[in-house]
């Protein structure tokens, strides 16, 4: 187990260095940030002084090593747009995004897995066909259109829920949370449903397909022949083997929620990382863009490491293959 974790950690370090190099190199060729920071009225001497202060005159390898060293220490440089440390901007916006993603992921998992189990066990029922029909809508419609429809129905026509902003928050020091106020929860409902709908339908269809596949296997037929009850077969044997691919997909989808929450945050004006990266792209804010890519890659690496460990815990075949006999 320890060797397995060490191996994954070395792979994670290699991936993070590769992502840092790609993101840093890519944004070295996206416009000139000095023009956005100083405008057209600045003199050439002022431009050169600012370029020297930001370290833009140094060789690219020196800039990259400085970027990696600062990133490891949690320092991402100064934002070219507002002149504040990028770490402060991320600390202000990251809690909102993480809370939105957390609620969306829990919603997709809590609703998608039971729906998938039901449609797999009762595939010819009217409710199963209704679930499958609704899932087609969730997969087919783009996220921004789903968000606009929810705003129109529940915000404009019915007036039940707020349609923009984060609402009331409670300051916990390093974290401002919406989980401790009713107003904060009311603002979370529409964006979390919008962000979770595609993942929910994907998980439902995956669980359904895996359940149908597992129920056809020989060991399930043998369990039925032994006289085991359907409940023990379906939930004790079939569901456990169904969860292995679900863990993989759910892990990747959480990473996707973090990376692609930009559209949902824009539609609902959610003050998270999505709006920050959009503003960074608009103003060619290289430190913000590079830091965002590295941060998303870090989340993906952590999620994949967690998925690997869950695999190791859920699937006993992996433990057997890494035992003495496997060597």
């Amino acid at each position: 187990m320890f060797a397995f974790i060490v191996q994954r950690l070395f792979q994670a370090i290699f991936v993070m260095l590769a992502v840092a190099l790609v993101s840093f190199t890519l944004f070295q060729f996206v416009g000139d940030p000095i023009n956005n920071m100083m405008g057209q009225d600045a003199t050439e001497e002022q431009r050169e002084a600012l370029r020297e202060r930001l370290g833009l005159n140094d060789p690219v390898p020196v800039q990259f090593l400085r970027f990696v060293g600062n990133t490891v220490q949690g320092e991402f440089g100064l934002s070219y747009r507002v002149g504040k440390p990028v770490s402060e901007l991320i600390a202000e916006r990251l809690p909102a995004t993480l809370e939105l993603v957390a609620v969306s992921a829990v919603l997709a998992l809590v609703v998608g897995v039971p729906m998938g189990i039901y449609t797999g066990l009762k595939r010819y029922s009217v409710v199963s066909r209704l679930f499958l029909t609704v899932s087609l809508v969730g997969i087919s419609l783009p996220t921004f259109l789903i968000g606009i429809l929810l705003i129109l129905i529940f915000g404009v026509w019915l007036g039940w829920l707020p349609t923009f902003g984060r609402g009331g928050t409670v300051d916990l020091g390093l974290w401002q949370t919406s989980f401790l106020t009713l107003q904060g929860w009311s603002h979370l409902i529409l964006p979390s449903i919008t962000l979770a709908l595609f993942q929910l339908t994907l998980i439902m269809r995956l669980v359904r397909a895996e359940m149908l596949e597992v129920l056809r296997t020989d060991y399930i037929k043998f369990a039925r022949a032994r006289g085991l009850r359907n409940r023990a077969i379906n939930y004790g044997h079939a569901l456990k083997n169904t969860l292995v691919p679900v863990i993989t997909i759910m892990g990747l989808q959480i990473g996707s929620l973090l990376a692609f929450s930009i559209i949902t945050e824009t539609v609902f004006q959610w003050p998270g990382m999505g709006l920050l990266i959009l503003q960074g792209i608009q103003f060619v804010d290289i430190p913000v863009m590079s830091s965002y890519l590295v941060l998303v890659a870090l989340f993906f690496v952590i999620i994949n490491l967690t998925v690997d460990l869950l695999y190791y815990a859920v699937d006993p075949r992996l433990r057997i293959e890494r035992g003495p006999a496997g060597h």
Side-chain angles (χ1 to χ4, degrees):
M1 182 67 174
F2 179 74
F4 177 76
I5 296 176
V6 171
Q7 180 184 358
R8 289 295 186 268
L9 288 176
F10 275 113
Q11 293 176 355
I13 293 173
F14 177 78
V15 170
M16 290 304 303
L17 287 175
V19 170
L21 178 60
V22 170
S23 63
F24 177 82
T25 304
L26 175 64
F27 291 120
Q28 293 302 307
F29 305 98
V30 182
D32 187 1
I34 302 300
N35 293 331
N36 292 328
M37 297 180 68
M38 304 198 68
Q40 299 180 354
D41 297 333
T43 63
E44 189 63 31
E45 290 77 11
Q46 292 174 331
R47 291 171 180 269
E48 190 62 28
L50 181 59
R51 187 180 296 275
E52 184 67 29
R53 183 166 63 88
L54 294 176
L56 298 179
N57 290 330
D58 296 334
V60 173
V62 175
Q63 294 185 45
F64 174 69
L65 291 177
R66 182 168 58 242
F67 172 75
V68 172
N70 292 336
T71 301
V72 171
Q73 301 175 29
E75 297 293 336
F76 301 100
L78 293 177
S79 169
Y80 294 163
R81 180 175 62 90
V82 297
K84 294 176 59 177
V86 177
S87 57
E88 291 184 9
L89 299 177
I90 293 177
E92 293 172 359
R93 303 294 188 96
L94 188 59
T97 297
L98 290 181
E99 289 187 356
L100 176 61
V101 169
V103 174
S104 301
V106 171
L107 181 63
L109 191 61
V110 169
V111 178
V113 172
M115 287 175 64
I117 295 173
Y118 183 86
T119 55
L121 297 178
K122 302 182 181 297
R123 48 182 170 169
Y124 299 114
S125 67
V126 176
V127 177
S128 295
R129 297 181 185 275
L130 178 62
F131 284 165
L132 292 174
T133 302
V134 173
S135 70
L136 288 176
V137 177
I139 292 178
S140 304
L141 293 181
T143 301
F144 74 89
L145 183 57
I146 294 174
I148 292 174
L149 290 176
L150 291 178
I151 290 174
L152 180 64
I153 296 173
F154 295 101
V156 178
W157 290 350
L158 299 177
W160 290 353
L161 296 169
T163 59
F164 66 92
R166 195 180 177 191
T169 60
V170 175
D171 191 356
L172 300 178
L174 297 177
W175 192 281
Q176 286 190 342
T177 180
S178 302
F179 291 161
L180 299 179
T181 63
L182 291 177
Q183 187 184 19
W185 276 106
S186 65
H187 281 77
L188 264 171
I189 293 175
L190 291 184
S192 62
I193 292 176
T194 302
L195 193 59
L197 192 57
F198 178 80
Q199 280 71 26
L200 186 153
T201 54
L202 181 65
I203 291 173
M204 186 204 77
R205 287 181 166 270
L206 175 64
V207 172
R208 177 180 182 273
E210 290 295 327
M211 284 291 291
L212 293 176
E213 185 68 25
V214 170
L215 290 174
R216 297 191 190 102
T217 57
D218 292 336
Y219 73 89
I220 295 295
K221 297 178 182 177
F222 181 71
R224 295 188 190 280
R226 291 175 55 198
L228 294 179
R229 293 187 301 176
N230 286 334
R231 183 181 183 86
I233 294 173
N234 295 334
Y235 299 102
H237 297 282
L239 180 59
K240 184 176 181 180
N241 290 277
T242 299
L243 291 179
V244 175
V246 173
I247 291 173
T248 302
I249 294 299
M250 194 58 199
L252 295 176
Q253 289 306 309
I254 291 176
S256 300
L257 289 174
L258 284 166
F260 303 116
S261 61
I262 299 175
I263 297 176
T264 302
E265 292 185 1
T266 302
V267 171
F268 291 94
Q269 288 300 293
W270 189 259
M273 293 291 295
L275 290 177
L276 179 64
I277 187 60
L278 282 179
Q279 294 170 350
I281 293 172
Q282 181 181 359
F283 289 92
V284 198
D285 200 341
I286 296 174
V288 170
M289 293 189 288
S290 300
S291 303
Y292 179 79
L293 286 182
V294 172
L295 189 63
V296 169
L298 177 63
F299 280 120
F300 266 104
V301 166
I302 294 174
I303 291 170
N304 285 331
L305 179 60
T306 305
V307 168
D308 288 339
L309 295 178
L310 288 176
Y311 260 179
Y312 200 87
V314 171
D315 194 344
R317 293 171 297 180
L318 294 177
R319 297 193 292 271
I320 293 174
E321 290 175 0
R322 293 181 177 275
H327 288 296

